[in-house]
Amino acid sequence: MQRYLISTAAALSFAIAASHASADTVLRASHQFPGGQGDVRDEMVQMMARQVAEADVGLTIEVYPGQSLFKAREQWGALARGRLDITSLPLDYASGRHPEFSATLMPGLVRNQAHAQRLNDSEYMEMIKAVILDGGARVLSDAWLSGGFASSERCITSPDTVEGQNFRAAGPAFEQMLEAAGASIASMPSSEVYTAMQTGVLDAANTSSMSFISFRLYEQVECLTEPGNFALWFMYEPILISEQVWQGLNEEQQAALMEAGEAAEAFFAEEAAAIDQEMVELYQENGVEVVSMSEEDYNAWLEIARETSYKNFADNVPNGQAIIDAALAVE
């Protein structure tokens, strides 16, 4: 009898706990990056999920990495319509819907991580976040990833080195600049670059240092151009929540999400400086030549960018010149 009473009490306790768990609001977080393999973007989302659970505000975040819930290009639309709750997203992927987002992947606009942190608190970012909010989402964590170039054909330094190469350029601003330098352009998310290189669809690509690591592109390339002192490539990849979903949460839950987002952002800021070095060491260990752009190379690219990417953005995007000017005003 005593054993039965203990078992009954244990079962009742379990049932109560299960009832509380099932009462939680469950948020689904989707991203395209490998899960559980050290990708800092996945780690940011996983960290948020743990911290929100610890806050005990009736909120659970389920993380779906590696495009297991939504494909990379589908995430913004799903988020804006409230079909997806949270995502870690290269914001430029949504520039087809909101062309202002191309300013978050503009050649030479961000020089280094310290400069990126200053941009986060600028009028430029206020303008970008206003478009994000109007589009149906809001930012929980800021993150800027530096990146570089890689090729299976030859090292990419000055503009003439891309001529004739089939190139994956991340976003329209880089596509315009690279096409003007003589490259052929193929558009795809970073998660598809490995297969495209493996099958000969691509000769070269630019993407973030973290994606160069996570997607094992060192297996497909001969030369890597690291960010170095003249980083032409920086991309804004925030953690976003659907505004529809946000408005359905109570104040405690919203506060817990914001606190978790701030913690994830601080974690990223500490990790960011080490990512580039990790990439360089990994590629060298795998026999890939690693080079850097010189200041002369960098300035030659910027000259092309101003005549193509910057000009097209200013001419064709609502408030485009003001967004560019606000970014350039941040020293």
Side-chain angles (χ1 to χ4, degrees):
M1 176 64 73
Q2 187 178 10
R3 182 179 300 172
Y4 171 78
L5 289 173
I6 292 172
S7 298
T8 302
L12 182 60
S13 175
F14 178 81
I16 291 170
S19 174
H20 286 313
S22 64
D24 277 8
T25 297
V26 177
L27 303 183
R28 298 182 304 164
S30 166
H31 64 72
Q32 74 195 64
F33 313 110
Q37 298 181 32
D39 189 298
V40 69
R41 293 158 295 193
D42 173 62
E43 291 184 351
M44 286 175 73
V45 179
Q46 299 285 0
M47 180 181 181
M48 285 188 63
R50 291 191 300 271
Q51 185 161 328
V52 165
E54 291 167 1
D56 193 22
V57 291
L59 202 57
T60 297
I61 299 176
E62 296 178 349
V63 183
Y64 296 83
Q67 303 188 93
S68 57
L69 188 61
F70 286 96
K71 295 296 184 184
R73 301 286 187 183
E74 297 172 353
Q75 292 178 128
W76 173 265
L79 194 78
R81 293 192 297 272
R83 292 177 52 231
L84 173 63
D85 305 316
I86 293 173
T87 186
S88 171
L89 181 74
L91 191 63
D92 186 79
Y93 283 12
S95 61
R97 295 171 184 260
H98 301 282
E100 297 93 337
F101 293 164
S102 288
T104 64
L105 183 59
M106 189 69 69
L109 203 62
V110 184
R111 295 187 297 275
N112 50 51
Q113 283 292 342
H115 188 211
Q117 294 304 311
R118 293 193 294 276
L119 282 170
N120 283 341
D121 298 320
S122 69
E123 180 187 3
Y124 156 79
M125 189 54 74
E126 289 178 4
M127 298 167 82
I128 295 298
K129 288 184 177 179
V131 179
I132 292 172
L133 192 59
D134 287 344
R138 68 171 57 216
V139 176
L140 295 175
S141 287
D142 293 315
W144 287 91
L145 278 84
S146 54
F149 300 76
S151 173
S152 60
E153 296 293 315
R154 59 183 177 274
C155 294
I156 295 167
T157 49
S158 59
D160 62 287
T161 59
V162 304
E163 187 171 356
Q165 295 202 59
N166 294 319
F167 215 109
R168 182 269 183 175
F174 270 88
E175 289 177 354
Q176 292 157 14
M177 181 187 73
L178 288 162
E179 194 167 29
S184 298
I185 302 301
S187 298
M188 65 188 72
S190 56
S191 51
E192 297 176 12
V193 170
Y194 185 101
T195 301
M197 283 191 154
Q198 189 177 44
T199 56
V201 173
L202 290 180
D203 302 315
N206 60 5
T207 190
S208 70
S209 298
M210 194 73 254
S211 288
F212 273 122
I213 295 168
S214 295
F215 295 120
R216 302 170 63 90
L217 297 182
Y218 54 81
E219 296 178 352
Q220 300 297 329
V221 302
E222 297 296 327
C223 187
L224 170 75
T225 308
E226 64 162 325
N229 294 322
F230 300 99
L232 195 65
W233 197 103
F234 261 85
M235 189 174 198
Y236 184 56
E237 302 191 22
I239 297 176
L240 305 170
I241 185 169
S242 166
E243 183 64 12
Q244 289 184 41
V245 172
W246 175 265
Q247 294 300 336
L249 301 175
N250 63 43
E251 290 185 3
E252 276 191 331
Q253 292 168 334
Q254 290 177 349
L257 277 168
M258 291 305 297
E259 288 176 13
E262 289 171 5
E265 184 176 320
F267 164 76
F268 171 79
E270 291 181 2
E271 294 291 313
I275 293 172
D276 291 343
Q277 186 58 35
E278 180 185 350
M279 174 186 67
V280 168
E281 291 174 359
L282 179 63
Y283 275 65
Q284 289 174 334
E285 288 168 4
N286 283 274
V288 176
E289 183 180 359
V290 178
V291 299
S292 303
M293 286 188 187
S294 67
E295 185 173 8
E296 183 180 0
D297 295 331
Y298 177 83
N299 288 333
W301 279 114
L302 278 187
E303 186 175 341
I304 296 174
R306 291 189 186 103
E307 295 170 356
T308 55
S309 311
Y310 286 35
K311 185 177 187 303
N312 288 337
F313 188 85
D315 291 348
N316 299 310
V317 175
N319 217 24
Q321 188 62 61
I323 293 173
I324 290 288
D325 289 345
L328 293 175
V330 180
E331 294 296 331

